[in-house]
Amino acid sequence: MPIYEGATVEDAIRQGLSDLALTAEQVTTTTVAEGKKSFLGLGKKVARVQIEPRVEPVATIEPTPVSIKEPEEKPKAASDEETLTQLALYLTAITNALNAPATVTYTREQDQVVVHLETEKQGMLIGKHGKILNALQYLAQVFVHRLEKNRLSVVLNVGDYREKRQLILERLAQKTTDKVKKTGQPVFLEPMPAFERKQIHAALSKNKLIQTHSEGDEPYRYLVVEPVKK
C-alpha cells in the first residue's frame, strides 16, 4: 500500500493527500513511523504513513452491489467468462467510488488476463510510483481467486503505464548490475510488488555473475541483488 514521508506525521499525510488528489475523509491513514527531531543534526528520522483510498461505498452502487469486505462463505466456482464479467462490474464500482470512473476492458492470454482501465483521471488510478494501481490489481486478483477455480492471473493497466514501468525496471536492473559489479557489494532495492520483483529477477537471470533474492514481509518485501559467491 502507498507509503508517504514527511518531517512530521501531519506533513506526510498532507503529502500523500496531495499526491492522491483526495481528502482526509476519502482515505484510511496508518502511522508507520513517528518523526523524530535531530539533536545537533544527529539522529533525525522522518515520519512515515500508509494511506489508502476508502472503498466501502462500493457496496451501495447499483446495479450490482459489491463489497470489498471478506464474504462469510466462499462462493461456488464460476466460469472464466462469468468471473471476468463480475470483475469488470467490481472494478467499475471501485473506480466510481474513487471519483475516477473508468471503462473496463480486458484481453486474455492463456491463464493471464490483462485488464485495461480507460479513464480521464489516470493519475488517480495510478498513484505515486503505481501504488494505487498495484493496490487495485491486488484487490482484483483476490476477487478472481474467490470465484475462479482455474486461478487466473490478473494484470491491471491504465493507459500504457505498465509498458513504461517495465522499461524503467529494465533500466533499474542494468544500473543495479553495473553497481554490483563495480563495488562487489549487494544492492538493496526499494520495496515493490511480487510481479515487479519477478521482472527484475528475469532480466538478471542470464547474468552468471549476479544473483537475486527477496527479503522482508509484504507489502515491504524488497529485492537484493548481489555478486555470486565463489
Side-chain angles (χ1 to χ4, degrees):
M1 294 298 176
I3 299 290
Y4 298 92
E5 298 180 347
T8 65
V9 171
E10 291 75 16
D11 289 340
I13 292 175
R14 280 195 293 271
Q15 179 63 45
L17 294 177
S18 176
D19 288 345
L20 298 175
L22 298 174
T23 65
E25 291 75 19
Q26 294 175 305
V27 301
T28 298
T29 303
T30 303
T31 300
V32 177
E34 299 280 356
K36 180 181 179 181
K37 294 183 179 179
S38 64
F39 177 71
L40 299 180
L42 300 174
K44 182 178 180 181
K45 293 184 179 180
V46 298
R48 303 175 74 239
V49 298
Q50 176 177 296
I51 300 177
E52 52 185 307
R54 292 180 179 174
V55 291
E56 289 82 359
V58 172
T60 62
I61 296 178
E62 296 296 339
T64 302
V66 183
S67 176
I68 301 289
K69 295 182 178 180
E70 301 281 340
E72 294 182 0
E73 296 182 0
K74 186 175 181 179
K76 295 181 179 180
S79 68
D80 288 359
E81 290 305 317
E82 290 173 338
T83 296
L84 295 176
T85 297
Q86 289 299 315
L87 177 62
L89 292 172
Y90 178 72
L91 292 173
T92 297
I94 291 179
T95 58
N96 285 338
L98 293 175
N99 196 29
T103 300
V104 181
T105 60
Y106 62 85
T107 55
R108 177 80 179 271
E109 299 177 3
Q110 296 183 346
D111 290 333
Q112 183 180 80
V113 177
V114 180
V115 180
H116 303 274
L117 303 179
E118 300 178 14
T119 177
E120 295 180 355
K121 300 181 178 180
Q122 292 188 355
M124 291 184 65
L125 295 185
I126 295 174
K128 187 176 182 180
H129 299 316
K131 290 181 178 180
I132 297 298
L133 184 59
N134 290 341
L136 291 174
Q137 179 169 301
Y138 173 78
L139 290 176
Q141 188 68 77
V142 171
F143 182 87
V144 167
H145 281 180
R146 294 194 180 282
L147 298 179
E148 174 59 49
K149 60 182 179 180
N150 294 327
R151 295 284 177 170
L152 292 172
S153 174
V154 179
V155 175
L156 256 64
N157 199 6
V158 174
D160 59 353
Y161 175 79
R162 291 298 185 201
E163 291 79 2
K164 291 181 178 178
R165 179 63 175 169
Q166 182 172 356
L167 292 176
I168 291 174
L169 292 175
E170 289 174 354
R171 289 196 295 268
L172 175 62
Q174 184 58 55
K175 182 178 179 181
T176 302
T177 298
D178 294 341
K179 185 174 182 179
V180 171
K181 288 181 178 179
K182 182 178 180 180
T183 65
Q185 299 296 320
V187 173
F188 302 85
L189 301 182
E190 66 178 14
M192 61 183 67
F195 70 93
E196 289 191 348
R197 296 197 304 270
K198 289 179 180 179
Q199 288 179 350
I200 293 182
H201 175 77
L204 299 179
S205 61
K206 295 181 180 180
N207 192 320
K208 303 303 181 182
L209 302 177
I210 299 294
Q211 61 185 10
T212 65
H213 68 274
S214 294
E215 294 183 0
D217 299 320
E218 301 292 359
Y220 309 114
R221 197 162 172 80
Y222 56 91
L223 197 67
V224 180
V225 183
E226 59 187 351
V228 172
K229 297 180 181 179
K230 297 182 180 180

